[in-house]
Amino acid sequence: MSITPGADLMAGPPPTHLPVDPAAALLAAGQAPADVVRRLPASPLAWATFAEEARDAGADDVTVYAYARVGYHRSLDMLRRNGWKGNGPVPWEHEPNRGFLRALALLALAARAIGESDEWERCSVFLRDSSATAAEELLG
């Protein structure tokens, strides 16, 4: 094995930068999250916004958990399609990453609300590992 001089052997995987989610324009134009989910069911941003809307309207924590979990799984699909190998930074500063990060935070919070402490811990650690900024912004 050859080592390149000056290479950082402790460096982790490069940051993942997701492409622009087409749901962003529809949501910004005022379309209802439920309508955007129906139109773009693979959109992490649409599911995260749908979960936030449900939470803010006082929906049952299980409902919020379900919407957030769909957003989380759609996010994993999108992350993998864009080169993510199961770990590494997903920066909050890159706007298209926020659908994933919001869905993950909502899943963590909803898991805690329904008493699923293992899932709360796993998701909150995953969020911090993905983006410390997002964890601070979304979990406090």
Side-chain angles (χ1 to χ4, degrees):
M1 177 169 97
S2 171
I3 297 175
T4 305
D8 182 355
L9 300 178
M10 299 303 288
T16 299
H17 294 100
L18 294 174
V20 172
D21 188 327
L26 300 175
L27 293 164
Q31 288 194 25
D35 293 337
V36 178
V37 162
R38 285 182 185 94
R39 184 168 172 189
L40 299 168
S43 166
L45 179 61
W47 283 102
T49 304
F50 195 29
E52 287 168 343
E53 180 184 72
R55 178 199 61 200
D56 295 347
D60 182 82
D61 293 326
V62 173
T63 299
V64 176
Y65 180 92
Y67 295 163
R69 180 156 289 288
V70 173
Y72 167 74
H73 281 284
R74 294 302 188 148
S75 297
L76 293 178
D77 294 341
M78 185 176 285
L79 285 163
R80 288 181 188 114
R81 281 193 309 271
N82 285 278
W84 184 75
K85 303 291 187 215
N87 64 11
V90 184
W92 172 257
E93 294 76 14
H94 182 67
E95 187 80 26
N97 290 347
R98 292 186 181 185
F100 157 63
L101 297 165
R102 287 168 48 196
L104 180 55
L106 286 158
L107 181 57
L109 293 167
R112 184 174 64 184
I114 65 172
E116 193 177 357
S117 57
D118 289 346
E119 184 75 346
W120 152 254
E121 183 64 27
R122 186 185 69 76
C123 289
S124 60
V125 167
F126 185 14
L127 182 63
R128 275 191 291 285
D129 289 348
S130 297
S131 171
T133 303
E136 180 62 32
E137 181 76 23
L138 300 170
L139 300 180

